[in-house]
Every structure is written in structure tokens, then in C-alpha cells.
Amino acid sequence: MISVLDFLLLSFLIVCAIVVARIRDLISAVIIFAAYSLVMAIVWQMLGAPDIAMTEAALGAGVTTFLFLAAISKTKRAE
Amino acid sequence: MDDLVIRSVSRLVVPFIQLYGLYVIFYGHLSPGGGFAGGAIVASSMILYGLSFNLEAGSRKLGHDVSSFMESGGAIWYLIIGLLGILFGSNFLANRYAGVSLGTPGQLFSGGIIFFLSLGIGVKVASTMITLFYSLSGGEDSSGSNN
């Protein structure tokens, strides 16, 4: 019913989401969130939404990561 | 951060990213993508250029005046095309009922005004993200200059 690749991607997403919420270093959280966005783009593609996958890969992994890093560099790094 | 490898690779890659973004914008009514996704890809190419060189080089390529002009111009372009539908005797954003030729399905210039609408959306989204990038990373003096 659920393929091996689906299982791997979804479990990676769950682990990434938990780690982003629990980690104390904000830059590490941003990098893990970029990995989350990239895997989420693959999941959107497998769900049959290539439009959303393209936007997620450009925005989630590219622009949002940089904007978070710029915001962190103007404030402090630890939570 | 003045690395030769990063600068050479980004100088090679940036035109292809921009070409792909323009493809996604122009073929928005035929294939997946559209104005928002293509504009985000074009903006990310300019962000890559500004990060790998310095901010002054990026500002020379696309200044703040040009960027804010494009940002307002995209919205006004969308509004003007929408109001043309009322001018030709139908609703706002009317396409076929305003007498626009729809063309052959599958061709690039088909679908009436949708091509021009996604062009306006792409310009608006790309210039908004570039402006956000420069104003967030510009430092103390240029962060609150205008907008």
C-alpha cells in the first residue's frame, strides 16, 4: 500500500520537524528546515503537484532559508 | 567572502536559472508553474548573485529604484489588463467575452490575456523578493531608506 520510498521520505519529514522544534541552536534549525523543505518538494511531486513542488523548492529551500539567516544575523544566535 | 570557485560557478549558473525562470513564467498557462513560481526562481538567481559577489555588485545590476519601479509596475500592469475587460464591455479580467482571440491550444500565444497576467505576476514577485533581500541584508543605513 505504501512504498518504501514514501515511508523513508515521510519518516525523514517527521524526524526533521521534531528536531527543528527541539534544537536550541537557531542556525542548525534553519539548515534542518531547508532539508525539510527540499524533501517536502519531492513529496509534493510524488503527490502529483509539480506546481507546488517547484515553488517549494525555490522558496522553501532558497529564499526562506536566506531570510531566516539574515534575521538571525541581526539578532542573537541561541534561543 | 571572496572565493574564486563560488564566483565562477555562480557566474556560470545564474543565466541558466534566469532562463528557466522565464520559461516557467512564459509557459505558465501550458505547463506547471506560472507567475509566482517563475518569479521566485528569477529572484533566487539574483539572490545567488548578490550573495556570491557582494551587495554593491548586485545593486549595480538591479538598483533599488528599478526594483521598486518594477514592483509597482507589475501590480499596475495586472490592474490595467483587468480593467481592459471592463473597457471592452464585459467583467473585470474578462478573457473571451471581451473579444480576445484565444488562439490554438498548446501554442505559446494562446489563452488570451493569461500570458500577460502571469508576466505581470512574475515581475511583481521577483522584484518583491529582491527588494526584501536587499533591505534585510543591507545593514543599518539602507534598511529603512524607503518603502
Side-chain angles (χ1 to χ4, degrees), chain A:
Chain A
M1 188 175 74
I2 179 167
S3 72
V4 181
L5 184 58
D6 279 336
F7 180 75
L8 282 177
L9 290 177
L10 292 177
S11 51
F12 184 81
L13 282 182
I14 293 173
V15 170
C16 275
I18 293 174
V19 169
V20 165
R22 304 279 302 178
I23 203 167
R24 309 297 292 178
D25 190 10
L26 289 180
I27 291 183
S28 307
V30 168
I31 299 301
I32 296 169
F33 190 64
Y36 175 88
S37 290
L38 205 59
V39 176
M40 195 68 210
I42 302 173
V43 174
W44 284 126
Q45 172 64 39
M46 291 172 66
L47 287 174
D51 189 2
I52 310 297
M54 210 181 290
T55 312
E56 178 84 32
L59 277 185
V63 180
T64 310
T65 305
F66 170 73
L67 292 181
F68 276 142
L69 284 180
I72 287 173
S73 74
K74 293 213 181 293
T75 55
K76 57 188 172 61
R77 176 172 176 169
E79 186 183 357

Side-chain angles (χ1 to χ4, degrees), chain B residues 28-100:
Chain B
H29 54 296
L30 299 174
S31 63
F36 189 82
I41 293 170
V42 173
S44 68
S45 80
M46 282 308 291
I47 289 178
L48 172 66
Y49 186 83
L51 281 180
S52 56
F53 291 83
N54 46 17
L55 291 176
E56 286 78 18
S59 297
R60 272 201 305 275
K61 290 288 181 187
L62 188 68
H64 205 287
D65 303 335
V66 183
S67 179
S68 51
F69 177 75
M70 281 165 60
E71 186 176 358
S72 308
I76 293 173
W77 171 259
Y78 193 98
L79 187 64
I80 286 173
I81 289 183
L83 287 175
L84 281 180
I86 297 182
L87 185 67
F88 287 106
S90 185
N91 292 322
F92 185 71
L93 286 175
N95 199 354
R96 189 161 67 88
Y97 296 113
V100 183

Side-chain angles (χ1 to χ4, degrees), chain B residues 19-30:
Chain B
L19 186 66
Y20 178 62
L22 290 177
Y23 171 80
V24 170
I25 291 176
F26 286 152
Y27 281 79
H29 54 296
L30 299 174

